């Protein structure tokens, strides 16, 4: 039997109440509380063609610990990532020795893709385009940067296609490193750009994988993560579903 392809999309700090689908009488009975007055047409359309879990809980709804549990299947106190990964918290990055979900999928013959925010590595002076320097845009010479990082191939846990970054909260000015360490600064709202890259991977436009090989793609979108004090980092347009269609679904 042909193994299924896997697509895992997870936005950062997305509030349960902030889905338009809860205004649909079919779903509203499953929500404990009042839904936010939002319009999310593409997510609603996706929910109508998917399986929706009405009682799903994150063991630790915080950036790095959640990712650590996702990757390892372990609680944060066992995964190696009990806190948000930060240079001041030396025991907060994903151990290279851990066997991760992506390692298992890779060993099972899957081609693994990862797009977007990683936030599982400590800042290291390993800028692939400027060796011996940090990639953190806020880095001040002589000080240890706090957040952003570059993940070297040996720390990607079986991931074949890489288009990601450590953590960086300028949503309209994102940056990414590809599988070979080349940096990209698309000057596009990050979630939109990552959706385009996901489409490119799924449809294999660049031929990065064997079409006969099953794939598992993880898309980690940072919005609606803070900052919340400016509209400059928001996507203000309300767009219809203009992306390409894959099996009658918009992506």
């Amino acid at each position: 039997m042909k193994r299924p392809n896997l697509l895992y999309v997870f936005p950062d700090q997305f509030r349960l109440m902030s889905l338009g689908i809860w205004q649909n009488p079919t779903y509203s009975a499953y929500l404990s509380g009042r839904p936010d007055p939002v319009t999310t047409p593409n997510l609603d359309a996706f929910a109508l063609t998917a399986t929706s879990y009405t009682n799903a809980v994150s063991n630790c709804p915080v950036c790095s610990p959640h990712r650590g549990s996702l990757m390892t299947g372990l609680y944060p106190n066992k995964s190696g990532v009990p806190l948000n990964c930060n240079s001041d918290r030396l025991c907060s990055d994903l151990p290279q020795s851990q066997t991760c979900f992506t390692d298992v999928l890779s060993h099972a013959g899957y081609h693994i893709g990862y797009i977007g925010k990683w936030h599982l590595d400590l800042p290291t002076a390993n800028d692939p385009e400027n060796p011996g320097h940090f990639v953190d845009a806020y880095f001040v010479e002589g000080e240890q940067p706090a957040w952003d990082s570059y993940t070297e191939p040996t720390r990607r846990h079986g991931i074949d296609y890489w288009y990601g970054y450590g953590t960086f909260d300028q949503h309209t000015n994102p940056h990414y490193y590809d599988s070979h360490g080349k940096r990209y600064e698309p000057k596009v709202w990050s979630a939109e750009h990552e959706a385009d890259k996901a489409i490119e991977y799924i449809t294999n436009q660049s031929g990065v994988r064997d079409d006969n090989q099953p794939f598992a793609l993880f898309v980690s979108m940072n919005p609606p993560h803070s900052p919340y004090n400016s509209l400059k980092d928001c996507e203000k347009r309300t767009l219809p579903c203009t992306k390409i269609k894959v099996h009658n679904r918009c992506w």
Side-chain angles (χ1 to χ4, degrees):
M1 183 176 70
K2 185 177 180 181
R3 287 168 293 178
N5 296 321
L6 305 176
L7 174 63
Y8 191 96
V9 182
F10 53 119
D12 205 315
Q13 299 186 185
F14 198 101
R15 175 177 155 87
L16 172 67
M17 307 294 195
S18 296
L19 280 174
I21 195 71
W22 299 121
Q23 298 167 34
N24 183 323
T26 303
Y27 292 86
S28 59
Y30 295 104
L31 185 68
S32 177
R34 184 177 179 180
D36 293 337
V38 297
T39 302
T40 56
N42 290 335
L43 289 173
D44 295 350
F46 180 67
L48 290 170
T49 62
T51 298
S52 297
Y53 294 93
T54 58
N55 188 21
V57 179
S58 173
N59 288 306
C60 190
V62 181
C63 299
S64 299
H66 171 78
R67 287 170 171 77
S69 291
L70 169 66
M71 294 295 287
T72 65
L74 301 172
Y75 288 111
N77 65 322
K78 298 293 185 181
S79 70
V81 195
L83 301 166
N84 267 346
C85 191
N86 181 291
S87 59
D88 290 333
R89 305 162 188 161
L90 297 182
C91 296
S92 62
D93 59 333
L94 182 64
Q96 200 165 349
S97 59
Q98 284 282 20
T99 299
C100 293
F101 186 20
T102 47
D103 291 314
V104 174
L105 288 170
S106 180
H107 292 157
Y110 275 77
H111 188 277
I112 316 297
Y114 195 97
I115 297 171
K117 180 177 178 178
W118 178 247
H119 203 181
L120 285 171
D121 284 324
L122 294 173
T124 305
N126 64 349
D127 185 338
E129 297 185 348
N130 194 9
H133 292 76
F134 294 92
V135 300
D136 197 320
Y138 304 115
F139 172 60
V140 177
E141 197 67 40
E143 297 181 7
Q144 177 79 1
W147 298 108
D148 202 13
S149 62
Y150 167 67
T151 299
E152 299 175 11
T154 55
R155 295 190 58 83
R156 295 177 189 167
H157 290 277
I159 296 171
D160 304 290
Y161 173 83
W162 183 268
Y163 193 80
Y165 62 97
T167 179
F168 188 66
D169 296 327
Q170 292 185 19
H171 307 316
T172 56
N173 184 35
H175 59 248
Y176 306 88
Y177 293 91
D178 69 10
S179 301
H180 309 291
K182 182 178 178 181
R183 182 181 173 106
Y184 292 85
E185 298 180 6
K187 307 298 181 184
V188 177
W189 193 54
S190 62
E192 179 180 357
H193 181 65
E194 289 155 19
D196 288 338
K197 297 301 291 186
I199 292 169
E200 181 182 300
Y201 178 89
I202 292 169
T203 58
N204 205 19
Q205 294 176 21
S206 302
V208 296
R209 57 183 178 79
D210 182 350
D211 281 325
N212 295 315
Q213 181 183 12
F215 69 78
L217 175 63
F218 296 80
V219 184
S220 174
M221 295 178 172
N222 201 22
H225 193 284
S226 57
Y228 305 124
N229 58 355
S230 171
L231 292 177
K232 292 181 180 179
D233 271 337
C234 297
E235 171 56 78
K236 294 183 286 295
R237 295 176 298 170
T238 300
L239 295 175
C241 187
T242 56
K243 302 294 184 183
I244 67 168
K245 286 193 174 183
V246 180
H247 301 302
N248 293 321
R249 298 182 186 180
C250 295
W251 298 93

